[in-house]
Amino acid sequence: MQFKTKSDMQALFKRVSNWGRWGAEDERGTLNYLTAERTAAAAKLVRSGKTVSCARNFPVQPGPENPTPALHHIVMGGDDPCAHGIPGMEVSLDFIGIAYHGLASSHIDALCHVFVDGKMYNGYSAQEVRSTGARRNSIMAARDGLCGRGVLLDIPALRGTKYVDPQKQVTAAELDAAETRQDVRAGEGDIVLISVGRDAWREQNKPKPGEGPPLAGLDPSCIPWLFERKIAVLGSDAVHDPTPSPAPIEDWPIPVHMCALASMGLHLLDNLFLADLEKACRTEKRWEFLFTVAPLRVEKGTGSPVNPIAVL
Amino acid sequence: MQFKTKSDMQALFKRVSNWGRWGAEDERGTLNYLTAERTAAAAKLVRSGKTVSCARNFPVQPGPENPTPALHHIVMGGDDPCAHGIPGMEVSLDFIGIAYHGLASSHIDALCHVFVDGKMYNGYSAQEVRSTGARRNSIMAARDGLCGRGVLLDIPALRGTKYVDPQKQVTAAELDAAETRQDVRAGEGDIVLISVGRDAWREQNKPKPGEGPPLAGLDPSCIPWLFERKIAVLGSDAVHDPTPSPAPIEDWPIPVHMCALASMGLHLLDNLFLADLEKACRTEKRWEFLFTVAPLRVEKGTGSPVNPIAVL
Amino acid sequence: MQFKTKSDMQALFKRVSNWGRWGAEDERGTLNYLTAERTAAAAKLVRSGKTVSCARNFPVQPGPENPTPALHHIVMGGDDPCAHGIPGMEVSLDFIGIAYHGLASSHIDALCHVFVDGKMYNGYSAQEVRSTGARRNSIMAARDGLCGRGVLLDIPALRGTKYVDPQKQVTAAELDAAETRQDVRAGEGDIVLISVGRDAWREQNKPKPGEGPPLAGLDPSCIPWLFERKIAVLGSDAVHDPTPSPAPIEDWPIPVHMCALASMGLHLLDNLFLADLEKACRTEKRWEFLFTVAPLRVEKGTGSPVNPIAVL
Amino acid sequence: MQFKTKSDMQALFKRVSNWGRWGAEDERGTLNYLTAERTAAAAKLVRSGKTVSCARNFPVQPGPENPTPALHHIVMGGDDPCAHGIPGMEVSLDFIGIAYHGLASSHIDALCHVFVDGKMYNGYSAQEVRSTGARRNSIMAARDGLCGRGVLLDIPALRGTKYVDPQKQVTAAELDAAETRQDVRAGEGDIVLISVGRDAWREQNKPKPGEGPPLAGLDPSCIPWLFERKIAVLGSDAVHDPTPSPAPIEDWPIPVHMCALASMGLHLLDNLFLADLEKACRTEKRWEFLFTVAPLRVEKGTGSPVNPIAVL
């Protein structure tokens, strides 16, 4: 099967569709695979108890990858801690604000984040996402947290490099090979993290002035792989879709986002920080762990900034 | 020991101090009790695998308890999903903003949130929290997540009521009695959640127009209890300190916040939603569970909105 | 003519319509009456040169009239003025944010702010105001500023009271009578300010707990008056429409806003502060002056906070 | 007199100081020169009545000159105009947010915006600008609006070029020469606008990738000129100080800002858009006009975004 043309992608979109699988009213998509039993089994994976954050710092610094930086404002600081006027009350307060989608913030995409031909997961209309909020497929589908077995696939290590060449997309065959190499297998209900060595790329390369670094990503062949394996959640240190794409497909600029979110109902974790987790996994010689994602409970929200925590 | 006067509290503040205990540069305070071993032990508590969110929804609705509501703005909705101009790209985007301290948002307080006499935990000066951010005791101390044994103490159940009367503060003796009644004991490195039935109060009472409901809280006698037990993190469905206080102490308006954050270095979880967790605990007849808090990695931040997840 | 029923209002809406009057592409509405000649004539009214602000302070304080207060955050203060890192550079910086519509902020309404039956001024569809901004009738129609003859009509003075009773709406006959009393006449291209003594009401009355004060406003009979006089812009210390209305009309909750903005194309200034201007006018014994409104140039915006300046 | 070294600048700073001139409590600085009489005289300059905005559009687009873009969010759009729930109420609402200092937004600097050696205008301490706001020299000093005689000096026209070469700063001698050429003279209480052709530069040059265009500015020799002429307010299409400076002085990175704001008490208008005004002035063959600036009334604010209006 090839994934080069618009009609290839349209066929793939249908093939991996989970529309209706969990009922006409479902908004959880492949989170349905992550059952309480699987959560309980994942907890049993914990050995050392080491916790590792997989998030980048709150992205307040402007830059080519961060054109609309997050806001962090001290509202009351140590220079005026009694401004409240209550005797003995000395406090500091702050404000944070963020439009978290894009390339800078570690965040989760709700299933309403992407539409294909005006529809989102389970066939709901794009019109359901109004100026006042998403009436369908909001992040509230994940309000009780995602807590399951995390599996990290280290593609640079497979290739014997520090990072994935942004021109050479990761293929499904490589996902299989990485599993073999790491002696781990991703299955139903798992949270799969695919490292492309984004931060190692930055250390060794200098982006062009005014541009962010290119981001490596997945070949569309990975899409049926994710579908067949019944993965619950997918994470990356980049954004799954190579940016810019070395092999763009007409009208399908972000095939992984389009098929995962809109067809499969597979929540995505973008812009994770995986270098610390890779190091911890190498140290403990294991690539599975308990993994928890706790989105903010934003009613009608299209996602949330998150700080996913792996426990080894 | 009595806790009624300013000098009582000054003595208590010294008695429960952990300043210097983990070195002159420490910013983690009682998080030091939550070791990897304890995290690993906590994971073993998981049985059913049921996950329960302990957060309220993102507080966008104004009200007496929420005078400065959070912002949630759709930046690009389903009525203009191609505004990016990339052919085939149909997305929705949003923005969230929040000054999370106060009575409305489920959040964690960093150790820089409260000062006593111009000092915060470990003796750092309030001047370290500048208009540009907290240089000491920021929420980054908790950046790798708090993941440990959670223990829920249900005070209304102990009292045989639906909620704690805001005029009758919870005492240390009641914490002991609740443990006995629930057959559980909070110890070193635990995350203790004390329910006062805040939401049940709301269901049965009507606050005065223009006022929020009074919030029940802890008597200062609980402070040495928390210290001696070596609790790592403390959570509440209210804000620990009764609001307004039925027994105010001169210059000590919020004794639990002041002693916990500034003296002990004990991180606080305010405004949790505990009704779902209580119900789940009653169903499973157990009051201990794996508990994970994943603050956003806001450098120099005074805390973070959070969605803490209990796994039973 | 009566204005009590839905069909009365529908007829009135048609009667005062300026749709098409200045062409099918017009977005300026009655600003077309405010020609350069009239601006030049208005400048000649200046005598003392006294300038008077007609705006309230930026509404950062929460309250019943201000449920979603404006944000004012110091981004860099005097405690860290060199945080930029440039030697010798000592600065302070701040951030402001506001959703200015409502009852608290002095602001101008763009013609896209109100729809009637899904249409706005000149027949454009409400659909033109997308989540990404207003493609029609944005505040950019007023980008070069409104500068013309201001006329202040003091209704409390006409009634011999300190403020307009919120139960007794201002009638067109009273507008005529106020003109006669003040020896002034509002005409084509004028900016008319109608004072209802909102701030005097507050001084003498105490709103109910949790509620804002009721706001006095105009009877619908004023609508044809505004139309026939060819007023360019209308301002008030309240919001033109009485709030809550003592005589509500089915499906026409805010008749002045609906007819002025959507039918006539008459820009509105809400929540002005007129007490200082009244005092200055009484002192100088004149009720006409040069009046300037300078909206921020927000492309696709639905209005702007403003600080209108009268020059006597 | 030379202005090349730190001690040159320290001497200049003292020479042009207005500290104490209008009393120990003064916060208006050279606004004291803009008397009611001068406002009245300025109004008499109006002939054609043409109004010209001197502001750029609200800077929501990211870019090298705009690393922290302004926010403009539709809060309620035409796709959900009845979300309020009031029958017949169809509205659109939006939110704006901006940290307006920098190179992108047309704004006014309050006198608290810049400190020199920890002091601001009239000798107040930088400590007065706290995390909770400026207690001294806030923009409220200009709350009644700046309305006076505007004088535009067109330096590119004087030089016979389209724009001022960013390497060749404007000198005091050129200000005199521009006056002679244009047959106009700036004097006590005037609002002086100095055009450096910033936007023409952009049209003819391409900034380096990732960088903003260099901004031309004033030589320090202009500082005593402004002082001696008793100018009330100074405006520019750039930011007065060349950026980056072709002739940097040790510890004096922004000499015009430092001397104008902190020593003279001269409010500054940064990043104006002057091309339309230049064109109108050429057409009407005059370089003086009525000029109005109406800052938002932000208590404790360090300035305000503005849309200054010239009336010819």
Side-chain angles (χ1 to χ4, degrees):
Chain A
M1 196 175 184
Q2 289 234 333
F3 310 108
K4 297 197 171 163
T5 68
K6 187 171 171 172
S7 63
D8 290 346
M9 289 309 302
Q10 287 169 329
L12 177 59
F13 188 86
K14 277 188 192 162
R15 177 178 151 197
V16 301
S17 171
N18 285 322
W19 293 14
R21 173 172 295 212
W22 295 283
E25 296 300 312
D26 182 62
E27 300 189 354
R28 286 175 52 80
T30 56
L31 294 185
N32 285 294
Y33 292 134
L34 182 39
T35 60
E37 291 72 27
R38 290 204 174 91
T39 298
K44 298 211 185 332
L45 297 172
V46 172
R47 292 187 206 161
S48 71
K50 181 179 175 65
T51 63
V52 183
S53 161
C54 296
R56 298 172 188 281
N57 290 346
F58 201 65
V60 297
Q61 293 301 330
E65 286 185 297
N66 196 19
T68 56
L71 309 175
H72 178 219
H73 300 147
I74 296 293
V75 171
M76 190 173 294
D79 60 347
D80 204 13
C82 305
H84 270 309
I86 301 169
M89 183 103 152
E90 302 174 35
V91 297
S92 70
L93 307 172
D94 57 4
F95 170 94
I96 57 170
I98 187 167
Y100 49 86
H101 288 294
L103 308 179
S105 163
S106 299
H107 68 272
I108 183 168
D109 289 340
L111 299 184
C112 67
H113 172 50
V114 165
F115 318 116
V116 172
D117 290 337
K119 300 267 186 205
M120 52 181 157
Y121 168 69
N122 223 6
Y124 304 124
S125 166
Q127 304 294 328
E128 298 283 350
V129 185
R130 303 207 182 174
S131 55
T132 49
R135 299 173 172 214
R136 281 289 187 180
N137 286 343
S138 83
I139 193 59
M140 288 298 277
R143 66 180 168 274
D144 282 313
L146 314 178
C147 185
R149 179 188 182 234
V151 173
L152 174 64
L153 299 181
D154 185 343
I155 308 303
L158 173 74
R159 292 189 180 179
T161 56
K162 297 237 169 182
Y163 51 83
V164 172
D165 179 340
Q167 297 302 312
K168 293 190 186 165
Q169 304 180 37
V170 179
T171 64
E174 287 181 300
L175 300 182
D176 288 330
E179 287 184 329
T180 302
R181 182 185 164 278
Q182 297 175 212
D183 194 21
V184 71
R185 186 177 162 88
E188 187 169 335
D190 283 348
I191 301 169
V192 174
L193 311 177
I194 302 176
S195 167
V196 296
R198 174 182 182 169
D199 297 278
W201 193 98
R202 289 194 202 195
E203 276 170 36
Q204 300 211 340
N205 297 270
K206 211 176 155 176
K208 292 182 196 164
E211 289 184 14
L215 298 181
L218 306 182
D219 181 89
S221 65
C222 297
I223 295 168
W225 189 96
L226 294 163
F227 174 72
E228 285 151 21
R229 291 290 185 92
K230 301 190 175 173
I231 301 308
V233 181
L234 177 65
S236 171
D237 50 351
V239 291
H240 314 287
D241 289 296
T243 306
S245 178
I249 304 168
E250 185 196 358
D251 281 344
W252 284 76
I254 46 172
V256 180
H257 271 74
M258 292 163 83
C259 290
L261 293 169
S263 183
M264 280 189 245
L266 174 66
H267 284 78
L268 298 176
L269 302 167
D270 292 348
N271 307 308
L272 299 181
F273 181 75
L274 296 177
D276 287 349
L277 180 58
E278 285 163 31
K279 197 176 160 191
C281 284
R282 274 193 297 269
T283 301
E284 301 201 15
K285 295 196 177 64
R286 51 200 301 252
W287 303 89
E288 58 177 4
F289 35 79
L290 178 66
F291 195 73
T292 303
V293 185
L296 298 176
R297 294 177 62 128
V298 183
E299 291 175 292
K300 303 186 180 176
T302 75
S304 174
V306 290
N307 180 5
I309 305 294
V311 189
L312 275 82
Chain B
M1 195 176 186
Q2 288 235 333
F3 310 107
K4 297 197 171 163
T5 66
K6 188 170 171 174
S7 63
D8 290 346
M9 289 309 303
Q10 287 169 330
L12 178 60
F13 189 85
K14 277 188 192 161
R15 176 177 153 199
V16 300
S17 170
N18 286 321
W19 294 13
R21 173 171 295 211
W22 295 284
E25 296 300 311
D26 182 61
E27 300 189 354
R28 287 174 52 78
T30 57
L31 294 184
N32 284 294
Y33 292 133
L34 182 39
T35 60
E37 291 71 26
R38 290 205 174 90
T39 298
K44 296 211 187 331
L45 297 172
V46 172
R47 292 186 205 161
S48 70
K50 181 178 174 67
T51 63
V52 183
S53 161
C54 295
R56 298 172 189 281
N57 290 347
F58 200 66
V60 297
Q61 294 302 329
E65 285 184 297
N66 196 17
T68 56
L71 308 176
H72 178 219
H73 300 147
I74 296 293
V75 171
M76 190 173 294
D79 61 347
D80 205 13
C82 305
H84 270 309
I86 301 169
M89 183 102 151
E90 302 173 36
V91 298
S92 70
L93 308 172
D94 57 5
F95 171 93
I96 57 170
I98 187 167
Y100 49 85
H101 289 294
L103 308 180
S105 163
S106 298
H107 68 272
I108 183 169
D109 288 339
L111 298 185
C112 66
H113 171 51
V114 165
F115 318 116
V116 172
D117 290 337
K119 301 268 187 204
M120 51 180 159
Y121 168 69
N122 223 7
Y124 303 125
S125 165
Q127 304 293 328
E128 298 283 350
V129 185
R130 305 209 181 174
S131 55
T132 48
R135 299 172 172 214
R136 280 289 187 181
N137 286 342
S138 83
I139 193 58
M140 289 298 277
R143 66 180 170 275
D144 282 313
L146 313 179
C147 186
R149 179 184 180 237
V151 172
L152 174 64
L153 299 181
D154 186 342
I155 308 303
L158 173 73
R159 293 190 180 177
T161 56
K162 298 237 166 181
Y163 51 83
V164 172
D165 179 341
Q167 297 303 312
K168 294 189 187 166
Q169 303 180 38
V170 179
T171 63
E174 286 181 301
L175 300 182
D176 288 330
E179 287 183 330
T180 301
R181 182 186 164 277
Q182 297 175 212
D183 194 21
V184 70
R185 187 179 162 88
E188 186 169 337
D190 283 348
I191 301 169
V192 174
L193 311 177
I194 301 176
S195 167
V196 295
R198 173 182 183 169
D199 297 278
W201 193 98
R202 288 194 203 195
E203 276 169 37
Q204 301 211 341
N205 297 271
K206 210 176 156 177
K208 292 184 196 162
E211 292 184 13
L215 299 181
L218 306 182
D219 181 270
S221 64
C222 297
I223 295 168
W225 189 97
L226 294 163
F227 174 73
E228 284 150 21
R229 291 291 185 91
K230 301 190 175 173
I231 301 308
V233 181
L234 177 66
S236 172
D237 48 352
V239 291
H240 314 287
D241 289 295
T243 307
S245 178
I249 303 168
E250 186 196 358
D251 280 345
W252 284 77
I254 47 173
V256 180
H257 271 73
M258 292 164 83
C259 290
L261 293 169
S263 182
M264 283 189 243
L266 174 66
H267 284 78
L268 298 176
L269 302 167
D270 291 348
N271 307 308
L272 299 181
F273 181 75
L274 295 177
D276 286 348
L277 180 59
E278 286 164 31
K279 197 176 158 190
C281 283
R282 275 192 296 267
T283 301
E284 301 202 14
K285 295 195 176 62
R286 49 202 301 255
W287 303 89
E288 58 177 3
F289 34 79
L290 179 65
F291 195 73
T292 304
V293 185
L296 298 176
R297 295 176 60 127
V298 183
E299 292 174 292
K300 304 186 180 176
T302 74
S304 173
V306 290
N307 180 4
I309 304 295
V311 188
L312 276 83
Chain C
M1 196 176 185
Q2 289 234 333
F3 310 108
K4 298 196 171 164
T5 68
K6 188 171 172 173
S7 64
D8 290 346
M9 289 310 302
Q10 288 169 328
L12 177 60
F13 189 85
K14 276 189 193 160
R15 177 178 151 197
V16 301
S17 170
N18 285 321
W19 292 14
R21 174 172 295 210
W22 295 284
E25 296 299 312
D26 182 62
E27 299 189 354
R28 288 174 51 79
T30 56
L31 294 185
N32 285 294
Y33 292 134
L34 181 40
T35 59
E37 290 72 27
R38 290 205 173 91
T39 298
K44 296 207 185 339
L45 297 172
V46 173
R47 291 185 207 162
S48 70
K50 180 178 176 63
T51 63
V52 183
S53 161
C54 295
R56 297 172 190 282
N57 290 348
F58 201 65
V60 296
Q61 293 302 329
E65 287 185 295
N66 196 18
T68 57
L71 309 175
H72 179 218
H73 300 148
I74 296 291
V75 171
M76 188 173 295
D79 61 347
D80 204 11
C82 305
H84 270 310
I86 301 169
M89 184 102 151
E90 302 172 36
V91 297
S92 71
L93 307 171
D94 57 5
F95 170 93
I96 57 171
I98 188 167
Y100 48 84
H101 289 293
L103 308 180
S105 162
S106 299
H107 69 271
I108 183 169
D109 288 339
L111 298 184
C112 67
H113 172 50
V114 166
F115 318 117
V116 172
D117 290 338
K119 300 268 187 204
M120 52 181 159
Y121 169 68
N122 224 6
Y124 303 125
S125 166
Q127 304 294 328
E128 298 283 351
V129 185
R130 304 207 181 173
S131 55
T132 48
R135 299 173 172 213
R136 281 290 187 178
N137 286 342
S138 84
I139 193 59
M140 288 298 277
R143 67 182 168 273
D144 282 313
L146 312 179
C147 186
R149 179 185 180 237
V151 173
L152 174 64
L153 299 181
D154 185 342
I155 308 303
L158 173 74
R159 291 189 181 179
T161 57
K162 297 236 168 181
Y163 51 84
V164 172
D165 179 340
Q167 298 302 313
K168 293 190 187 165
Q169 304 180 39
V170 179
T171 64
E174 286 181 300
L175 300 183
D176 288 331
E179 287 184 330
T180 301
R181 182 185 163 279
Q182 298 175 213
D183 194 21
V184 70
R185 187 179 161 86
E188 186 169 337
D190 283 348
I191 300 169
V192 174
L193 310 178
I194 301 176
S195 167
V196 296
R198 174 182 182 169
D199 297 278
W201 194 97
R202 289 194 203 195
E203 277 170 36
Q204 301 212 340
N205 298 270
K206 210 175 158 179
K208 291 182 197 164
E211 291 183 15
L215 298 181
L218 306 183
D219 180 271
S221 65
C222 298
I223 296 169
W225 189 96
L226 294 163
F227 175 73
E228 284 151 21
R229 290 292 184 90
K230 300 186 174 176
I231 301 307
V233 180
L234 178 65
S236 172
D237 48 353
V239 291
H240 314 289
D241 289 295
T243 307
S245 177
I249 304 169
E250 186 196 358
D251 280 345
W252 284 76
I254 45 171
V256 180
H257 271 73
M258 293 164 83
C259 290
L261 293 169
S263 182
M264 281 189 243
L266 174 66
H267 283 78
L268 298 177
L269 302 168
D270 292 348
N271 307 309
L272 300 181
F273 181 75
L274 295 177
D276 287 348
L277 180 58
E278 285 163 32
K279 196 175 159 190
C281 284
R282 274 194 297 268
T283 301
E284 301 202 13
K285 297 196 176 61
R286 49 202 300 256
W287 304 89
E288 58 177 4
F289 35 79
L290 179 66
F291 195 74
T292 303
V293 185
L296 297 176
R297 294 177 61 128
V298 183
E299 292 175 292
K300 303 187 180 174
T302 75
S304 173
V306 290
N307 180 3
I309 305 296
V311 189
L312 276 84
Chain D
M1 196 177 184
Q2 289 234 335
F3 310 107
K4 297 196 171 163
T5 68
K6 188 171 170 173
S7 62
D8 291 345
M9 290 309 302
Q10 287 169 329
L12 177 59
F13 189 84
K14 277 189 193 161
R15 176 177 153 198
V16 300
S17 170
N18 286 321
W19 292 14
R21 172 172 297 212
W22 294 285
E25 295 300 312
D26 182 62
E27 299 189 355
R28 288 174 53 79
T30 57
L31 294 185
N32 284 294
Y33 293 134
L34 182 40
T35 60
E37 292 71 27
R38 289 204 174 90
T39 298
K44 295 208 185 338
L45 296 173
V46 173
R47 290 186 206 162
S48 70
K50 181 179 176 65
T51 63
V52 183
S53 160
C54 295
R56 298 172 189 281
N57 290 348
F58 200 65
V60 296
Q61 293 301 328
E65 287 184 295
N66 195 19
T68 57
L71 309 176
H72 179 219
H73 300 148
I74 296 292
V75 171
M76 188 173 296
D79 61 347
D80 205 12
C82 305
H84 270 310
I86 301 169
M89 186 103 151
E90 302 173 36
V91 297
S92 70
L93 307 172
D94 56 5
F95 171 94
I96 57 171
I98 187 167
Y100 48 85
H101 289 294
L103 307 180
S105 163
S106 299
H107 68 272
I108 184 170
D109 288 340
L111 298 185
C112 66
H113 172 50
V114 166
F115 317 116
V116 172
D117 290 336
K119 300 266 186 204
M120 51 181 160
Y121 168 69
N122 222 8
Y124 303 124
S125 165
Q127 303 294 329
E128 298 283 351
V129 185
R130 304 208 180 172
S131 54
T132 49
R135 299 172 172 214
R136 281 290 187 179
N137 286 342
S138 84
I139 193 58
M140 289 297 277
R143 66 181 170 275
D144 282 313
L146 313 179
C147 185
R149 178 185 180 237
V151 172
L152 174 63
L153 299 181
D154 185 343
I155 308 304
L158 173 74
R159 292 190 181 178
T161 57
K162 297 237 168 181
Y163 52 83
V164 171
D165 179 341
Q167 298 303 312
K168 293 189 187 164
Q169 304 180 38
V170 179
T171 63
E174 285 181 302
L175 300 182
D176 288 331
E179 286 184 331
T180 302
R181 181 186 163 277
Q182 297 175 213
D183 194 21
V184 70
R185 187 179 161 87
E188 186 169 336
D190 283 348
I191 300 169
V192 174
L193 311 177
I194 301 177
S195 167
V196 297
R198 174 182 182 169
D199 297 278
W201 193 97
R202 289 193 202 196
E203 277 170 36
Q204 301 211 340
N205 298 270
K206 212 176 155 177
K208 291 182 196 164
E211 292 184 13
L215 298 182
L218 306 183
D219 181 90
S221 65
C222 298
I223 294 169
W225 189 96
L226 294 163
F227 174 74
E228 284 151 21
R229 291 292 184 91
K230 301 188 174 174
I231 301 306
V233 181
L234 177 65
S236 171
D237 49 352
V239 291
H240 315 288
D241 289 295
T243 307
S245 176
I249 304 168
E250 186 196 356
D251 280 345
W252 283 77
I254 46 171
V256 180
H257 272 72
M258 292 163 83
C259 290
L261 293 169
S263 182
M264 281 188 245
L266 174 66
H267 283 78
L268 298 177
L269 302 166
D270 291 349
N271 306 308
L272 300 181
F273 181 75
L274 295 177
D276 287 348
L277 180 58
E278 287 163 29
K279 196 175 159 191
C281 284
R282 275 194 296 269
T283 301
E284 300 202 13
K285 296 193 176 64
R286 49 202 299 255
W287 303 88
E288 58 176 4
F289 34 79
L290 179 66
F291 195 73
T292 303
V293 185
L296 297 176
R297 294 176 63 127
V298 183
E299 291 175 291
K300 303 186 181 175
T302 75
S304 174
V306 290
N307 181 4
I309 304 295
V311 189
L312 277 83

